[in-house]
Amino acid sequence: MMKERFKKLSKDQIFNLVLIGALALYLFTPLGFYVKVYVNRIFAFNPTPVEERQREHIASYDWTLRDLENNDFQFETVKGKVVFINFWATWCPPCVAEMPAMQDLYDAYGDKVEFLFVAEDQQKRVEAFLDKKDYTLPVYYEMSTTPKQLFSKSIPATYIIDREGEIVVAKTGAADWNSREIRKLLDSLLSQ
């Protein structure tokens, strides 16, 4: 009886059932998470700098973070340095998608640029994620209110700040952070 019903389905109905099944897999299973990560990697383009006339300055460096070893970090200590800040979480597919490029960028510039990866997730999940992927990124948690110019309602949110405290790049969504253009920008900011 089931075979007879299946034979009566049109090609369009079969296509729709397959499409619904694929969509359900994408939205409601762990496989869907990895598909979203892959799609975000494909569409992660080079972030562009903020136009000079629209750049904001960090008004206050009064921001306390805490690292994975429970040590406090005062944002004030990065004043006068080139800073790369990323807000992220392990449950966020675009965040996970851009992490390999960020690790490569950190490996290349970690001794020249201040990197702050601010997690919006449970510490155990973050530590497990970092261990599983062999990431060595410096991860922090917010202990006080984020400076107004760095607040975003969505993640990932990434900022590059120059030595003068000016936000040179402000990007939400996945991006290719290890691109030639970003490296040229960082080199330029470091030489100033």
Side-chain angles (χ1 to χ4, degrees):
M1 184 150 161
M2 188 66 113
K3 285 184 181 181
E4 290 174 19
R5 283 190 180 169
F6 188 71
K7 286 181 182 180
K8 290 182 181 181
L9 292 176
S10 70
K11 287 182 182 179
D12 286 343
Q13 289 172 323
I14 293 171
F15 175 79
N16 288 339
L17 286 173
V18 169
L19 187 61
I20 290 169
L23 190 59
L25 277 173
Y26 176 75
L27 294 174
F28 303 113
T29 68
L31 175 64
F33 179 83
Y34 294 107
V35 170
K36 291 174 193 171
V37 168
Y38 181 73
V39 168
N40 273 283
R41 280 195 187 136
I42 290 171
F43 292 105
F45 297 108
N46 181 43
T48 56
V50 177
E51 289 186 39
E52 283 194 45
R53 60 186 164 82
Q54 295 180 332
R55 292 182 182 173
E56 292 186 78
H57 275 83
I58 301 297
S60 171
Y61 281 80
D62 184 22
W63 187 30
T64 303
L65 302 170
R66 184 165 291 154
D67 67 17
L68 293 174
E69 286 78 39
N70 290 317
N71 299 311
D72 283 353
F73 178 86
Q74 301 303 320
F75 186 57
E76 186 175 282
T77 63
V78 303
K79 202 172 196 177
K81 299 178 181 179
V82 176
V83 184
F84 183 100
I85 302 173
N86 174 258
F87 294 88
W88 70 287
T90 62
W91 48 261
C92 164
C95 301
V96 173
E98 64 183 5
M99 281 294 168
M102 288 188 174
Q103 179 66 56
D104 291 341
L105 189 68
Y106 173 71
D107 290 343
Y109 288 89
D111 59 339
K112 301 172 195 156
V113 172
E114 286 289 329
F115 284 87
L116 306 172
F117 292 88
V118 183
E120 298 185 6
D121 206 337
Q122 297 173 357
Q123 187 166 340
K124 287 183 181 182
R125 293 178 90 185
V126 168
E127 289 174 345
F129 174 79
L130 295 172
D131 286 342
K132 180 180 178 183
K133 300 291 187 177
D134 289 326
Y135 291 148
T136 59
L137 305 169
V139 173
Y140 299 89
Y141 288 91
E142 293 184 276
M143 303 311 294
S144 65
T145 306
T146 307
K148 181 180 80 168
Q149 295 82 9
L150 301 176
F151 179 77
S152 174
K153 291 182 180 182
S154 62
I155 57 173
T158 307
Y159 304 90
I160 296 177
I161 304 166
D162 70 9
R163 294 180 194 277
E164 303 300 316
E166 193 171 72
I167 299 172
V168 178
V169 174
K171 170 79 169 101
T172 56
D176 179 8
W177 292 103
N178 194 34
S179 68
R180 182 180 6 224
E181 291 82 4
I182 288 297
R183 285 176 172 249
K184 282 173 66 174
L185 174 65
L186 289 177
D187 290 340
S188 170
L189 295 175
L190 288 167
S191 69
Q192 294 176 355

